Amino acid sequence: MNYLSVKKTDIANGDGVRVSLFVSGCTHHCKGCFNPETWSFQAGEPFTEAVEEELLKALSPSHIKGLTLLGGEPMEPDNQRALLPFVRKVKKQFPDKDIWCYTGYALEKDLWQEGRARCEATDELLSYIDVLVDGEFVLEKKDIRLKFRGSSNQRIIDMMRSLKEKKVVFYSVE
């Protein structure tokens, strides 16, 4: 897997001050995407152990609330396979920090059921994600007043409660 950038103090992509990893590769190609340079799976640099260590170090200060995965598309199957071992490390080293993930895939249709995004890593990866922002960006539904999402069709999902209750439970943003 490649990644395009890391933001070590991000306040736009989830609650609190976060470390954000922008992965490369996305097959959605949403009209009006804010980050089309991440569409190519070859964009950026390889996601190496040194990059993982840099991210873990960036997550260590107490003022950092958690990690955000976005891109590109973290839930592309090849990206899931690469992210899963790293996310395991994050949860083991920082059990009190949360993980947000932005995906253009729909939870019920593409990730919980057999779909083009589902692979052998999906269920375990979802079990580590605290908040999932799902749905493709739709330019015609763009709304800059929305918190943590770009268009009104996108949903902010409490993954822990959703997995426990076996249904979509929305995350409350003030």
Side-chain angles (χ1 to χ4, degrees):
M1 178 183 84
N2 280 6
Y3 76 101
L4 210 61
S5 68
V6 168
K7 288 188 180 178
K8 294 182 181 175
T9 53
D10 186 358
I11 59 169
N13 295 301
D15 254 343
V17 182
R18 316 189 61 73
V19 174
S20 292
L21 171 64
F22 291 79
V23 303
S24 297
C26 182
T27 58
H28 300 297
H29 299 182
C30 301
K31 180 176 145 191
C33 174
F34 84 105
N35 219 0
E37 60 274 11
T38 65
W39 291 356
S40 169
F41 286 86
Q42 286 73 47
E45 301 294 323
F47 187 69
T48 63
E49 199 169 306
V51 176
E52 287 186 16
E53 290 306 315
E54 178 187 343
L55 287 162
L56 291 170
K57 184 178 178 186
L59 283 163
S60 63
S62 61
H63 71 276
I64 299 294
K65 188 158 187 322
L67 172 71
T68 298
L69 306 170
L70 63 170
E73 175 58 78
M75 298 308 285
E76 293 287 357
D78 285 345
N79 289 344
Q80 288 184 55
R81 291 177 186 109
L83 286 169
L84 180 56
F86 171 64
V87 169
R88 277 189 202 124
K89 286 180 192 176
V90 171
K91 278 299 189 179
K92 183 176 182 181
Q93 193 165 334
F94 303 106
D96 296 330
K97 298 200 187 253
D98 61 13
I99 297 177
W100 282 51
C101 179
Y102 284 77
T103 180
Y105 291 109
L107 177 60
E108 306 96 297
K109 185 180 117 201
D110 301 312
L111 300 170
W112 273 350
Q113 296 180 23
E114 292 304 320
R116 70 184 181 105
R118 188 164 172 76
C119 69
E120 73 284 350
T122 305
D123 289 338
E124 186 179 356
L125 186 57
L126 287 173
S127 77
Y128 296 123
I129 294 170
D130 297 281
V131 178
L132 184 75
V133 182
D134 82 340
E136 290 188 8
F137 172 74
V138 176
L139 186 58
E140 295 76 23
K141 295 182 178 188
K142 180 179 178 178
D143 185 344
I144 62 171
R145 297 168 297 174
L146 297 171
K147 269 188 145 179
F148 307 128
R149 55 197 175 127
S151 58
S152 61
N153 62 296
Q154 294 173 311
R155 307 176 302 171
I156 304 174
I157 299 170
D158 182 327
M159 276 308 302
M160 296 296 114
R161 288 191 53 210
S162 295
L163 290 170
K164 187 184 290 184
E165 297 180 26
K166 296 183 178 19
K167 66 176 186 176
V168 173
V169 178
F170 297 110
Y171 181 82
S172 176
V173 291
E174 304 299 305

